[in-house]
Amino acid sequence: MARHTGTFGSKLLPTVLYMVAACSAIPITDLLDRASQRSDQLHSLSTTLTQDLDSHLPLTVRLTLPRPSVCHTASLQTPNDKEQALQVPESDLLSLARSLLQAWEDPLVFLSTSANFLPHPAQNAISNKIQELRDHSKSLGDGLNILSGKMGPGARTISMLPYTGGNDVGQDTISQLINLNFLLSCFRRDSHKIDSFLKILRCRATGLPQMC
Amino acid sequence: MATQDVGAGPRPSPAPAPAPFRITGTRELMLRLPRASPLVRLVSLSSRLTGCASRRERALLGAAAGVHHGRGTEGRETGKTLLWLPLSGAKMRNVFEVMLLLLLLLLPLVTAHAGGQPNSPPGKPVLTSCRSPEKETFTCWWKPGSDGGLSTKHSLFYRKESSDAVHECPDYRTAGENSCFFNKNNTAIWVNYNITVVATNSLGSAYSDPVEVDVVYIVQPNPPENVTVSVMEDKGWPFLRVSWEPPRKADTRSGWITLVYELRVKLKEEDDWETHLAGQQKMFNILSLPSGGEYQVEVRCRPDHGFWSEWSSTSKANVPHHFRRDNSTWILMTVFFAFTFLIVAWLLHLNRHNLKRCILPPVPGPKIKGFDKKLLKSGKSNEIFSALVVPDYPSTPSSNYEDLLVDYLEVYVPTERELQLEESKDPHDDRLKSDSSTSDSDSGRGSCDSHTLLVDKEAKEEARQAECGQTRTEVQRSLKDWDALTYAQIDMVGRDVPSGRVKTWPSLYSPLPRHSSGPLDQQSSLQMAKQHSLSTSSFLAQEASGESYWDVCSHGELPRPLRAKTPPHRGLRARSDADVSGAGLKRAPAGPRSLAPHTSEYVEVQRVNNKDVVLLQPVVTGCYQALPGEVYSKVKRVDSDNILLLQREAREEDGYPGAEQENTTQKASACVYAAVLVQDQMAPMVNGYVDTATMCTLTC
């Protein structure tokens, strides 16, 4: 029996080494390409979700009633315009993207649980889309983790941005909708940030400006 | 205009033209004002007139005052406002004064109304859109409301998301009328802008609804530039190659904006465009050109999350006319071939039998007699093969196989006469001369002729006739030689062997050729006998026409005769014209040969002398009669000393075989039964046959 496992182990090790080598042989451009595709999907999904939620809420109500003004990720310093963004080193860009994505892990859980009780006509569709959001977010996070290993020590740092919104979604229907709407808009923006950073990184990685 | 005659007042003549006001019979003052004219604030007037303005009047006036300019007929239906002012008759003079005052007041209004803009605060502007062409700057446009007749100024104010500071638009001109342009310094992305437009004039201001704008969501690039269309050819088939460049301002080279392109194409005279999605590439081939002519191509682009740009300017290309070798031609050809194919198929169908015979000739079935296909299909092999069996094939032998077995050996012993004859002829002849004349030509002895058994029926007769005494052979040799000569042991019947061993070998003795003649050296004769016995061992004589016999006559003391006896029917025919005698010492002068040729004679062992020599003598013919039942044709076993133990043949008499050895003493006669030959019992021997050569080697 020992000999049997020994042969199996001896076969396993080269296989693992081969796979590791093959994985590391995927060029960064391809990895970034995949990641940016994933982030693009994520942002599109969040956009449609916000539009679905907004459709039920009258515009006047939305504007007049008070709403929380600051997203929980606002504390993270991100570039404000193109010049600033293009000056940020790549590892920092990746770190920002990873931090943002990490910051939305818990709020998305909260979103999905509260979407189950959403007083909205399209509640089922919204609930499904939120679940999709979570799946995409998870796979993107995994991809970025892999990428971070290849882009320098700065890429591995993640800023913690705890979600302080709590689990209180509001008492009445309107406030519920407003709070959820606000949360989704914050997510939409952050997903756009992640998408932009990854596309900048992708273009830089190719080295051919005309290919971007 | 209904008037009412109330009192005795003088009936007023019908007014030639409707006056702005009239005084009705009742004490009501009806003021009719032109439709579009603004209302005069008559509150003070009316209150002065009446002293107490009714609530209704005040409401009417207030409503009239509150109506916006340009809002239309809100609050006013007919353009007529009725003011019923209760008037007392005593104050008619005052009324007149009031009317004059009103006229004075109304006049400038009327004139003013007929001349220019009414003054009102501006109408509410509306922000139509804000767009950013490259995600670095953006512009907002609004649509102004009514300006209220006065010069209205619009201003845009914005407030960034996290701060409360309100800023005004930095640039009203760059983007044109009613626009605000935010340059790079004033544009922050991922920040919500709260934008409001205010229209102000001397009479007031109007605020638009605020709009929240995030620059990244409002990107709409300029159309692609440098759209070039060229006509190229691929294997004689023309196609269009369209290439373009991204809009100048959009920074795609750094990855800040990712653009996706789309183009559309149509013939000049057509109305419908054919659109193609080109992705992120900046070149596209249009392959499906239905025909020649002038083609028009347009391209547009869109960022990954944004709005489509406008279509670029039209690019034109002239495609030469080419032979439209596609649809109609192919259809014609297809129809033609299908038609031909159908005809051919129909013809084939009509002649299918002939064709079948031609292409697939009938396979000849098996024509084996007795072969039944149905049986074959049923799969029972026994029945098939039994059906195949022809009754009289193969020919089965009627007799049993034992007839084919040769189980005895004929040893031919030449008679004295023959020996003499032969001797006279050639005393030193080679003994190996075969005696063809006396040999039997059949009985399966083909190769065994010369030095082998010589069956001679005549010899048998002669041998019989020969006297026993005449032929005497003294066999003097070692036991070994005797072994060579014969290889069968005959049990002594009640004989005492002086040396304790009696060995007689009459039976399987291969006789030497008949015409060996002359005094032979014993040794050589023995050798010959060896040779003969060699062949004898493999030889089974079929013919049993005589007895096998020996005749060995020996002189001297031969206390015991040994009889070799063989059944008359199957006997060992030993034929030897060799001088089996010993040293030839005691040869009878008449007959140098001891063995009787051709005759069945019995050999008797007279004695075994001290030198281990068996001396034989001819047997009394009394012993001739072979007991028919006693056939020693089987060798029971071989003793270690190369002694063959013969047994009676099991076939004729059962139960006998083993008894012979025990019952030897019972035999009255001294006949010794010669053993007949061979086969399987000689297991240790090769092939079941007694191989004298081997025997010799064993013993020699």
Side-chain angles (χ1 to χ4, degrees), chain A residues 6 26 112-113 136 184-185:
Chain A
I26 300 178
S112 67
T113 51
H136 280 289
L184 276 174
S185 68

Side-chain angles (χ1 to χ4, degrees), chain B residues 480-539:
Chain B
K480 291 191 281 184
D481 298 331
W482 272 111
D483 287 343
L485 283 172
T486 63
Y487 40 84
Q489 179 188 19
I490 299 169
D491 290 338
M492 287 292 293
V493 180
R495 300 287 173 191
D496 297 327
V497 181
S499 64
R501 284 163 48 158
V502 177
K503 298 186 201 277
T504 59
W505 302 271
S507 52
L508 302 177
Y509 177 60
S510 158
L512 297 170
R514 258 165 99 204
H515 34 259
S516 62
S517 57
L520 292 173
D521 186 42
Q522 184 184 355
Q523 298 296 326
S524 59
S525 73
L526 290 173
Q527 280 171 2
M528 288 196 63
K530 279 185 212 173
Q531 290 163 6
H532 283 293
S533 61
L534 265 168
S535 47
T536 302
S537 65
S538 60
F539 190 80

Side-chain angles (χ1 to χ4, degrees), chain B residues 199-391:
Chain B
T200 11
N201 64 2
S202 53
L203 293 176
S205 54
Y207 291 85
S208 67
D209 293 330
V211 162
E212 291 251 347
V213 164
D214 195 335
V215 178
V216 290
Y217 299 145
I218 55 167
V219 184
Q220 185 182 22
N222 296 327
E225 296 169 1
N226 277 353
V227 179
T228 60
V229 184
S230 51
V231 181
M232 310 191 78
E233 207 165 280
D234 171 44
K235 293 172 196 160
W237 204 251
F239 66 94
L240 289 176
R241 171 163 291 174
V242 189
S243 64
W244 57 87
E245 284 169 20
R248 210 171 304 125
K249 286 200 248 175
D251 184 9
T252 52
R253 296 170 74 85
S254 66
W256 183 240
I257 294 188
T258 311
L259 290 177
V260 174
Y261 301 95
E262 187 184 58
L263 56 84
R264 64 179 187 181
V265 63
K266 78 172 176 72
L267 274 169
K268 185 178 179 183
E269 52 269 13
E270 281 176 13
D271 292 331
D272 294 329
W273 292 90
E274 182 184 316
T275 51
H276 301 274
L277 202 62
Q280 288 184 354
Q281 62 201 38
K282 300 180 186 60
M283 189 263 293
F284 194 80
N285 292 330
I286 303 173
L287 300 168
S288 59
L289 300 175
S291 64
E294 186 181 314
Y295 281 92
Q296 295 174 340
V297 179
E298 290 176 0
V299 191
R300 69 175 181 176
C301 61
R302 159 181 93 88
D304 44 7
H305 309 285
F307 302 99
W308 281 109
S309 71
E310 297 296 329
W311 287 106
S312 66
S313 56
T314 308
S315 300
K316 296 182 181 131
N318 250 318
V319 176
H321 290 271
H322 45 266
F323 174 55
R324 232 201 308 186
R325 226 181 345 117
D326 49 310
N327 292 344
S328 51
T329 316
W330 287 120
I331 289 170
L332 272 176
M333 284 167 67
T334 311
V335 166
F336 173 71
F337 281 126
F339 192 61
T340 312
F341 176 75
L342 280 174
I343 289 177
V344 169
W346 175 248
L347 287 172
L348 287 176
H349 175 74
L350 285 179
N351 290 338
R352 62 178 177 274
H353 296 292
N354 291 340
L355 273 174
K356 201 174 175 183
R357 223 179 301 135
C358 182
I359 295 170
L360 304 169
V363 176
K367 287 193 177 123
I368 303 170
K369 246 191 218 176
F371 194 78
D372 195 350
K373 275 191 201 170
K374 290 176 192 165
L375 273 182
L376 186 66
K377 283 176 193 168
S378 69
K380 292 182 187 167
S381 58
N382 285 340
E383 294 171 357
I384 299 167
F385 294 130
S386 64
L388 285 172
V389 170
V390 176

